[in-house]
Amino acid sequence: MLNRHARGFFTALFTPLARWLLRMGVSPDAVTIVGTLGVAVGALGFYPLGQLFWGTLFITAFIFSDVLDGIMARMQNVKSRWGNFLDSTLDRIADGALFAGVAVWFYTGGNNATIATAALVCLVLGMVVSYARAKAESLGFTANVGIAERAERLVSVLVVTGLTGLGLPTVVLLATLVLLAAASLVTVVQRIISVRRQALAEPTPAD
């Protein structure tokens, strides 16, 4: 989930833990699954109750499984298409739970339908961002362009949601969600344009 500048730091940080888990017989897939469950429990268990700060802390404890499982797989020198599929699929579940938890709270006890709606828009557009790339690659194109990568989306919403739980004005969370939604929309358009250009550049089949 981390960009290339931060990945080196967290790889060094989590390598000892990854090595220990492998010695204990824990598989990268197990780490992926447990991490996703932890994020979902934090987002759907804490956030709807208004526990934004504690929910964020709980989620943060599991979100780095996305780094840890990759380190473990590299240590095993295994490039598994199954592992890649599982990781990408469960990432969508974690992302959906995160934004859904925010939406549920602000539609109910948080009493701010605007923020809740913005969270749902982020959820939908985030899924489209991921789907556009996956579909493009399944057709032989590339669509890894865009300004709204998963790392930026997650870090932004987690940090601001957690601080909102500590008293940060809700307007800051609303602004963050609106910016994330706009960035996701731009990313979707960028990927559509990129694939369209690639499609037009393909040779025309002979009659």
Side-chain angles (χ1 to χ4, degrees):
M1 59 160 278
L2 301 171
N3 63 38
R4 59 189 178 89
H5 300 292
R7 187 175 295 276
F9 169 77
F10 284 102
T11 296
L13 181 65
F14 288 111
T15 291
L17 176 58
R19 188 175 293 114
W20 179 80
L21 288 172
L22 288 173
R23 284 202 303 266
M24 294 297 102
V26 179
S27 70
D29 287 351
V31 172
T32 302
I33 293 169
V34 170
T36 301
L37 289 174
V39 172
V41 168
L44 300 177
F46 286 88
Y47 282 178
L49 299 177
Q51 299 294 326
L52 303 183
F53 176 71
W54 293 112
T56 296
L57 286 185
F58 189 91
I59 292 167
T60 301
F62 289 92
I63 202 73
F64 288 104
S65 65
D66 204 30
V67 177
L68 187 58
D69 58 6
I71 297 172
M72 293 170 68
R74 288 192 295 274
M75 284 182 171
Q76 291 182 319
N77 197 26
V78 173
K79 294 183 179 180
S80 168
R81 289 192 298 169
W82 155 252
N84 186 279
F85 168 80
L86 179 67
D87 188 58
S88 295
T89 301
L90 295 188
D91 280 351
R92 306 290 80 75
I93 294 176
D95 294 359
L98 180 60
F99 286 104
V102 173
V104 170
W105 167 243
F106 283 102
Y107 271 135
T108 55
N111 195 31
N112 193 319
T114 304
I115 290 179
T117 301
L120 289 183
V121 172
C122 286
L123 190 159
V124 172
L125 288 175
M127 297 298 174
V128 176
V129 166
S130 299
Y131 176 80
R133 178 172 178 173
K135 185 62 177 179
E137 291 176 350
S138 74
L139 296 172
F141 300 112
T142 59
N144 56 355
V145 298
I147 62 173
E149 295 294 336
R150 183 171 184 257
E152 285 76 13
R153 296 199 305 269
L154 287 183
V155 170
S156 297
V157 73
L158 279 173
V159 170
V160 178
T161 299
L163 292 177
T164 300
L166 291 178
L168 186 73
T170 55
V171 67
V172 179
L173 178 57
L174 175 60
T176 300
L177 292 171
V178 169
L179 288 173
L180 284 177
S184 296
L185 180 59
V186 169
T187 298
V188 170
V189 174
Q190 287 177 307
R191 292 186 173 182
I192 291 174
I193 292 173
S194 176
V195 172
R196 177 59 175 167
R197 287 173 176 168
Q198 293 171 64
L200 291 174
E202 288 187 323
T204 304
D207 294 333

